[in-house]
Amino acid sequence: MSGKEKEKDKDREITFQVEEHVGVIGVSPTGWKKELNLVAWNGTPAKYDIREWDEDHTHMSRGITMNKDEIRSLNEILNGLQLQ
């Protein structure tokens, strides 16, 4: 990707639709909530998404998106943890 393509891509508006709120993982001192949601980004099919959101879901942190197979794998890993 050329420098011009990167800059053009950087200026592109990101669209999203939170299709399902699955749950809150934690709350930061600023009030932002780390959440697991099903989110459709830029008109693509919804994926599971973990990131922090402000109260009205207009601003968000960087996060991670996962498809169903990745969520299943993560679930197996978490179920195998021996937390103390």
Side-chain angles (χ1 to χ4, degrees):
M1 187 180 298
S2 73
K4 286 185 178 182
E5 289 172 327
K6 285 181 184 178
E7 189 166 322
K8 185 178 180 181
D9 192 49
K10 181 177 138 183
D11 294 334
R12 185 182 71 169
E13 181 181 352
I14 297 171
T15 61
F16 64 92
Q17 176 67 40
V18 178
E19 293 189 358
E20 181 182 342
H21 173 72
V22 180
V24 174
I25 298 167
V27 180
S28 74
T30 63
W32 282 42
K33 295 178 183 174
K34 189 173 294 175
E35 300 179 357
L36 174 62
N37 296 309
L38 265 172
V39 181
W41 294 97
N42 298 319
T44 62
K47 291 185 176 183
Y48 289 94
D49 183 272
I50 298 174
R51 71 184 65 242
E52 288 186 340
W53 294 86
D54 68 355
E55 190 172 319
D56 58 2
H57 287 89
T58 56
H59 296 92
M60 76 288 290
S61 68
R62 291 186 178 183
I64 182 170
T65 59
M66 294 174 276
N67 62 36
K68 286 183 182 181
D69 290 334
E70 292 167 329
I71 283 290
R72 284 185 190 107
S73 295
L74 177 60
N75 187 48
E76 289 176 16
I77 292 167
L78 293 174
N79 285 335
L81 287 179
Q82 299 294 322
L83 300 176
Q84 298 180 18

